[in-house]
Amino acid sequence: MDYGHPLRFGLALTDHAAVARARLAEDLGLDVVAVTDPRTGEAGPEGAGVLEPWTLLAWVAGTTERIGLAAHLIEHPDRSAAVFARAAASLDLLSGGRLETGLAARHAPALAEAVEVVRALWDTGEPGPAHVDGEHHALRGAQRGPAPAHEVALWLGADHADADDDALLELVAEHADGWWSATSRPDELAARNAAIDVAARAAGRDPREVRRLVVLTAPDTVAERVDAVPVGSEPVASEPVDTESVDPVAIERIDADAWRHELVALALEHGVSTFLLDTDDDDLVRVFAQRVVPAVREAVASARAAAGVVVGVPAPRRLREQRREGIDYGAVPAGLDAIEPGHARYGDVRSNYLRGGRPGIVLLPRDSGEVAAALGFARAQDVPLGVRSGGHGISGRSTNDGGVVIDLSRLDDVEILDPASRLVRVGAGARWARVAAVLEPHGLAVTSGDSGGVGVGGLATAGGIGWYARKHGLTIDRVRAVDLVLADGTAVRASASENPELFWGMRGAGGNLGAATSFEIEAHPAQPLGFAQLVFDASDVAGFLERWGAVVETSPRDVTSFLVMGRPRAGQPVVAQVMVAVDSSDPRTVIEHLNPFAQVAPLLDQAVQIMPYRSIIVPAGGPHRGEGEPVSRSSLVRHMSPEVAAAAERVIMTGATFFFQVRSVGGAVSDVPPDETAYAHRAAGFSLTAMGVSRGSLDPRWDELHQHADGLYLSFETDPRPERLLDAFPPPTLARLRGLKDHYDPDDVFSANFAVGSARTGHLA
Amino acid sequence: MADYGHELEFGSFITPTAGDAANVVRLAQVSERAGLDLATFQDHPYQGRFLDTWTLLSFVAARTERIRVAANVHNLPLRPPAVLARSAASLDLLSGGRVELGLGSGAFWDAIEAMGGRRFRPGQAVDALAEAIDVIRAVWDTEAAERLVVDGEYYSLDGAKRGPAPAHDIQIWVGAYKPRMLRLIARQADGWLPSLGYAKSDQELADSNARIDDAAAEAGRDPREIRRLLNIGTLPGGLQDWAERLAGLALEHGFATFIVGSDDDDVLTAFGEEVAPTVREIVARERG
């Protein structure tokens, strides 16, 4: 019985020479090294005079680069399954996803509980703490995580050959990714494989979900045994071998032909796909790696080709059960990294900053070719599509429920193309914190938003209102070219001279027209700049807003200011936090520009620093873990007029918002003609945003304020009502965008975020 | 008692963020390049956002050459002492004697229980720590001929094999504040590892030191057998102010190991390359 699993060969490490032997294994091109508990006859992690296996494995991970790492440790009361789960995930993260791990049973029921604990803690895609009600291993509301870096295969087996009883084999059949066989005797393998296969089918699993592993000992006994067992495979051709590194005596001593025959038989007759050699003889290791393994691979490959066996490991039942309707998981293009519900990394990619998501599959292309492949796959599925760069977008439209998400985070190169013209190329999946960090040593920056966790692609196609807005304009105003993949998979470049109309649309409505993969941006010179955080008593809310707005508008363009107010608290003054960026490293100039702000209202607290741009933007942080649906509204206004300020006061004082923010725009942003980009609201001086708990409480209040608005900034808007589209894109802009849409995306593939609809139908998607 | 005359050491305390594992390892390497003696990491095994501390220590030790590693401090209720002893000795052997052992009696009992661990009352936790230190030292003691038997209330060994013996005398440092724990340190530990941020005043540090000294003398130990270590943050003022403050803590209160909590390259580098040499210089001058 050949299950068609890829073959892997490695070493079981046992003693003090393990470290050197692991490196030898890596140098010889073997696939994996494994540690096990010392064979002292004592159960569990106790054992004298030898190295503690997990410590050894972590050390080996640190002293190797490539080779796979495996542990097979005995389940034991002194070995907390919960701590083991975190340790295993940690080693996978530290080693760059090289771990697979296993537990050996003293007692099947205890092992079953340990497995449940391990899987529960790894499953960070599930919200809330983990509970496992076990007698031997339990979790009572434990935090999940860390998730491993990749799908860590869990091998289960017996702690000695006689313990492969029915209960254990059933457990293997139901829960294991691999069976760590305690025997390599063909007759025992055959019987136990059969038992596993029967139990696997009974549990709704494909027996091929369970890989099979044996530990091999010295080959002279192997040779004896091979005589007793008929081998049904083709004779193995002799391989040329680098004999210089092998002791000739060792070659003579070892009957390599017989050994090859036995391994081929184990693979083809008994479905064994992972072979671990347990030896302290380095010559034997060399013979194994150089004379035996290549020949076995070749013989098995040709036998499989002849028999039409497809090589691979099917997705396990626990993943298949979580798959979503309408997605053909088998059709994911080969080589494209894909994360499904239940995968270790799903918790890191399913949600956005503020919005929870449960996509059916997340694709992580590495280049524009893979983006095209991902788009081709997505178009063939009858589910929603989201394209995500950083996933920070307030509306969170780049994730979904049951759909496809194309996550561009791997396209994250940041490169200076030409220091003289300050031209930089930035991948769509890079985050602005890294862009700032890479550019700072060169005395450069690109104005972005206020958070370093925001991705380049979303911001650089929508607008980008940041700390240099009044001086250097929007982020899109610095973009000189965009490379993107169109809905039909074509990679194109848009700039003033290439596809200029598309270039126009990509700056302000890019999410409608294609998947941007990289941007050429003209950075601006940057020096450490003054950054003030001022806290005001803003009890006179409307008056405060008006006065602040007036100071902003009369300040030079070196000054950009943002303002944040929360929900008023009973019995406390209404407080406003004002941040002011002053593009100067001279403290006197900074203070001079700050002075007018200090007059706006009673100052409760202040902090002023000269700091680099990268330190001003909020650090990127870890993966997004948003839950639920965010509620936010946006308005762009010309001035903080008495009408706007009064309406804002009503929004704030009714408690309809818990986060109200104003960002100064104007300045250089207003130098750009409205028809120069698809972001048309060039006359606006201020961008107002509010986040609320519910549409019902926020919308009526905000609608009043919005009467005084010229439009909205689509990145901060979650209102689904169709009239918002015209707020985002005034009629001339919308008409042009629909023309582009009909040309570049006639099937409306990119429809998740402020879909412009078609010029042919006038239909709002 | 003021200065115990210990050689000064300096270390880092790096957040073991699981989401940025490569950077955690890199910060330990930055610590080594900055000339620091120790890279330490907190151990909260119930915390899903952190890397497992033992695994991290082992990996970091393998990816560094000279710097010593330690937990700051291990959560004993989730780290069975016999396993911890064998693990520490193993890593000490692998790393050429670069492991020390920081121990704590545990806190956050709800979280420990959530992990399937055992909840101790405060008094029990102290007793358990005392037993644990006995277990650890007994496992390391491969010279002893008698059967390894520990019949404790919390940890028992009945004839388990001893070993491996570590490559060097692994220091056992205990993070603690309460009088019973300080007495335990005086009797059983090689070092006291409090955090400056938790002390209300220097006087409190002096009082605790005096308590340890008295209890050590009572137990027939020289108080100088117990190193005084201190977790610190970045201190106000310039690097010179920082160094003078630490020199004062060394000369007046006998602290000889200073561990700075920071994940910032610049801070770790300044601490190793500028603060540490200045403190050493001041202390050497004053010690004469």
Side-chain angles (χ1 to χ4, degrees), chain A residues 16 19 40 42 45-56 58-65 77-80 82-83 86-91 93-95 98 121 130 138-147 614 623, chain B residues 18-19 21-22 25 44-52 54-56 58-59 61-64 78-80 82-83 86-91 93-96 98 110 113-117 156-157 159-164 266:
Chain A
H16 216 111
V19 175
T40 60
E42 292 176 31
E46 300 189 1
V50 288
L51 299 172
E52 192 275 320
W54 188 259
T55 305
L56 172 61
W59 178 273
V60 164
T63 52
T64 55
E65 298 293 335
D78 261 4
R79 183 171 269 145
S80 154
V83 174
R86 300 211 205 276
S90 299
L91 189 53
L93 290 164
L94 287 163
S95 67
R98 291 193 278 143
L121 288 181
L139 296 176
R140 302 178 189 92
Q143 279 186 23
R144 298 173 195 272
R614 75 171 155 89
Chain B
V25 177
H44 296 288
Y46 33 76
Q47 173 56 266
R49 283 178 294 119
F50 288 165
L51 294 164
D52 171 65
W54 189 260
T55 307
L56 175 62
S58 305
F59 191 88
R63 289 271 160 112
T64 51
L78 289 170
R79 303 276 180 199
V83 181
R86 293 196 213 282
S87 303
S90 299
L91 187 56
L93 289 165
L94 288 164
S95 67
R98 293 194 283 127
D110 287 347
E113 251 192 342
M115 287 282 283
S156 314
L157 294 176
K161 292 209 177 69
R162 296 175 191 269
D266 295 345

Side-chain angles (χ1 to χ4, degrees), chain B residues 13 41-44 70-77 100-107 109 122 125-126 129-130 133 171-186 188-196 198 205 208 212 226-231 255 259:
Chain B
F13 176 76
F41 306 88
Q42 58 194 302
D43 182 27
H44 296 288
N72 187 349
V73 292
H74 279 300
N75 179 290
L76 207 51
E100 313 291 354
L101 205 53
L103 299 179
S105 61
W109 295 101
V126 181
L129 176 58
I133 295 178
Q171 299 271 299
I172 295 182
W173 302 326
V174 176
Y177 302 93
K178 299 269 173 61
R180 276 197 65 196
M181 287 286 283
L182 297 175
R183 289 199 296 276
L184 177 155
I185 289 166
Q188 292 180 275
D190 305 306
W192 175 46
L193 176 50
S195 293
L196 183 59
Y198 291 159
L205 294 172
S208 298
I212 292 172
I226 300 149
R227 174 175 279 271
R228 320 297 156 119
L229 308 92
L230 196 60
N231 286 310
F255 288 99
I259 300 171

